[in-house]
Amino acid sequence: MSSSRLVPRLADMGTTIFAEMSALAVRTGSINLGQGFPDVDGPASIAQAAAEAIRTGKGNQYPPGPGIPELLEAIASHQRAQYELHLDPYSQILVTAGATEAIAAAMLALVDTGDEVVALEPFYDSYRATITMARGRCVPVRLSPPDFELDEERLRGAVTDRTKVILLNSPHNPTGAVLSRGELEAVARVAIEHDLVVVTDEVYEHLAFDEPHVPISTLPGMAERTLTISSAGKTFSFTGWKVGWATGPVDLVDAVRTAKQFLTFVSAGPFQYAVAHGLNNEMRWVTGLRASLAARRDLLAKGLAQLGMEVFYPGGTYFITTDVRPLGESDAMALCRGLPERCGVVAVPCSVFYETPGPAERAMVRWTFSKQEHVLTEALDRLNSLSASWRP
Ligand SMILES: Cc1ncc(COP(=O)(O)O)c(C=O)c1O
């Protein structure tokens, strides 16, 4: 059934490693440090707002396509309060089914056959797939350890006369790197010089631990060419709700709205009321989440370093990447496939985030610290039980 005529473009993107690893975690009863989701739900008041919306019939029937007014206004207030960005809620904001739909709709709306999209490699897995769906070409710009800094010359080298979009992600999954203001300024210079659109995935905007988050749309000359994507999933620890949004200039948001209309038409109604409540009332909770996640980052980073791995300390997100070669391991895929049986821990090999991983990328593993402290400690204890086989 999988003739290349029928599934020509997406055939090699198959089942994601996350599905494979999460199934392995369930089958072996392992601690899942592979897929990034919290093991404690977000604020009770937000969950109550969702339940209340369903009970009182708010959003149980098709809500407005661009999003309910309460949420559009809450997102506009959030952008103003956090970043002094002034957006018209009704023409510059679109609510989507998670950031995932916003990314797909943006690529379908902005990329034509043969257009090139320059994206930071390693990349979040939906980028290459959705660029391919749009019949565009993903052109990687490699971020290299230990700091995963974005090099302006590398970025310039990736831009051609076919380039249409620079696709950014900061804080960055999988590396946890946070683009500095200097790196963002370099992106802005290149985008302005070549008249490119920047699509920026900022779903971890509230999970930058060491410096305040800087949206690239706040840089001079960028608001008019930047589509910013975010989501309630990470901010409020409700990753299963899939409420996201895209914001930016009217023409870009309009184009994305057209694509969204034919993907999901509207996003789930009651959750929109709940997320509006969260943005209006629970930002203090988010500050606490950030502090608690930073402490858990430190706990996991220290534990993994003590096991002998090289740890690339992240500035944000849910994730730490490590190089496992100091343990005598060179094949992270084989290591991650074996870990659940060997010690009951699941992690993800970073090679899946690269187009053409070399030996260094094939020896990197991503671990999430979005779990409770005692779960992380237990995972480290389990990994420690292997240390005899690791240390020569
Ligand atoms: C960088 C990045 N973008 C987008 C998403 C998806 O967000 P959502 O669950 O809101 O679709 C994730 C989720 O892991 C992510 O890490």
Side-chain angles (χ1 to χ4, degrees):
M1 180 55 201
S2 65
S3 108
S4 61
R5 190 178 64 80
L6 293 178
V7 280
R9 281 175 297 138
L10 297 174
D12 65 340
M13 294 190 178
T15 310
T16 70
I17 191 79
F18 308 105
E20 179 189 335
M21 289 299 175
S22 290
L24 202 54
V26 171
R27 188 165 60 71
T28 55
S30 293
I31 296 174
N32 189 352
L33 303 187
Q35 201 176 1
F37 59 89
D39 53 359
V40 175
D41 286 348
S45 82
I46 302 185
Q48 276 156 14
E52 190 61 11
I54 292 174
R55 203 182 60 75
T56 57
K58 284 159 73 177
N60 289 338
Q61 306 306 327
Y62 292 130
I68 61 164
E70 288 85 342
L71 180 53
L72 296 173
E73 304 229 355
I75 295 166
S77 304
H78 170 272
Q79 296 303 93
R80 196 167 50 243
Q82 299 284 330
Y83 310 120
E84 294 180 25
L85 283 167
H86 296 266
L87 299 170
D88 171 44
Y90 298 98
S91 59
Q92 294 190 274
I93 301 176
L94 173 71
V95 174
T96 56
T100 306
E101 187 194 29
I103 294 161
M107 292 306 116
L108 291 169
L110 304 176
V111 177
D112 291 321
T113 303
D115 285 345
E116 292 178 354
V117 178
V118 171
L120 309 182
E121 186 187 40
F123 8 66
Y124 177 63
D125 59 341
S126 85
Y127 299 163
R128 267 197 310 150
T130 53
I131 293 165
T132 306
M133 286 179 202
R135 295 191 182 267
R137 203 168 84 79
C138 178
V139 178
V141 176
R142 185 69 68 89
L143 305 178
S144 301
D147 297 325
F148 299 105
E149 272 171 23
L150 174 59
D151 179 75
E152 182 167 352
E153 288 321 305
R154 261 193 211 172
L155 175 63
R156 284 183 184 283
V159 172
T160 71
D161 55 7
R162 300 301 319 251
T163 307
K164 186 105 171 259
V165 173
I166 298 176
L167 177 51
L168 280 192
N169 172 214
S170 180
H172 180 258
N173 176 10
T175 65
V178 177
L179 294 181
S180 66
R181 184 174 283 276
E183 290 166 288
L184 294 174
E185 282 168 354
V187 176
R189 269 193 296 277
V190 174
I192 291 169
E193 269 171 44
H194 293 269
D195 195 21
L196 304 175
V197 171
V198 171
V199 175
T200 173
D201 176 347
E202 301 184 6
V203 297
Y204 298 100
E205 61 182 310
H206 290 291
L207 306 184
F209 305 127
D210 306 321
E211 305 284 341
H213 174 68
V214 180
I216 192 167
S217 64
T218 59
L219 269 51
M222 290 308 291
E224 57 266 41
R225 63 176 67 250
T226 302
L227 184 83
T228 304
I229 291 171
S230 193
S231 158
K234 321 290 175 188
T235 298
F236 294 120
S237 296
F238 285 114
T239 60
W241 286 12
K242 304 297 288 187
V243 176
W245 48 88
T247 59
V250 174
D251 55 345
L252 291 184
V253 172
D254 238 10
V256 179
R257 182 185 299 119
T258 306
K260 185 234 157 55
Q261 190 170 289
F262 300 111
L263 291 170
T264 55
F265 184 50
V266 297
S267 303
F271 293 134
Q272 295 189 46
Y273 288 94
V275 170
H277 169 85
L279 289 170
N280 292 333
N281 299 285
E282 291 288 4
M283 293 313 293
R284 283 254 297 276
W285 180 91
V286 178
T287 305
L289 171 70
R290 181 163 51 245
S292 141
L293 268 172
R296 286 178 274 157
R297 164 195 62 176
D298 294 347
L299 173 93
L300 187 64
K302 189 166 162 216
L304 294 173
Q306 276 169 352
L307 285 164
M309 304 177 199
E310 185 180 0
V311 172
F312 306 121
Y313 195 75
T317 74
Y318 284 166
F319 305 110
I320 293 177
T321 53
T322 63
D323 188 328
V324 293
R325 285 175 296 185
L327 304 176
E329 303 275 356
S330 57
D331 183 346
M333 180 69 83
L335 176 69
C336 290
R337 287 199 162 120
L339 276 184
E341 299 285 0
R342 287 171 72 197
C343 73
V345 174
V346 162
V348 167
C350 292
S351 55
V352 299
F353 302 113
Y354 291 84
E355 198 167 85
T356 44
E361 294 75 39
R362 277 196 228 104
M364 274 165 33
V365 175
R366 191 193 76 174
W367 316 80
T368 185
F369 49 87
S370 62
K371 309 297 173 186
Q372 296 169 85
E373 226 172 274
H374 73 89
V375 176
L376 297 176
T377 306
E378 171 63 25
L380 287 167
D381 285 349
R382 291 183 184 191
L383 288 166
N384 203 33
S385 70
L386 294 181
S387 59
S389 66
W390 275 339
R391 292 203 189 96

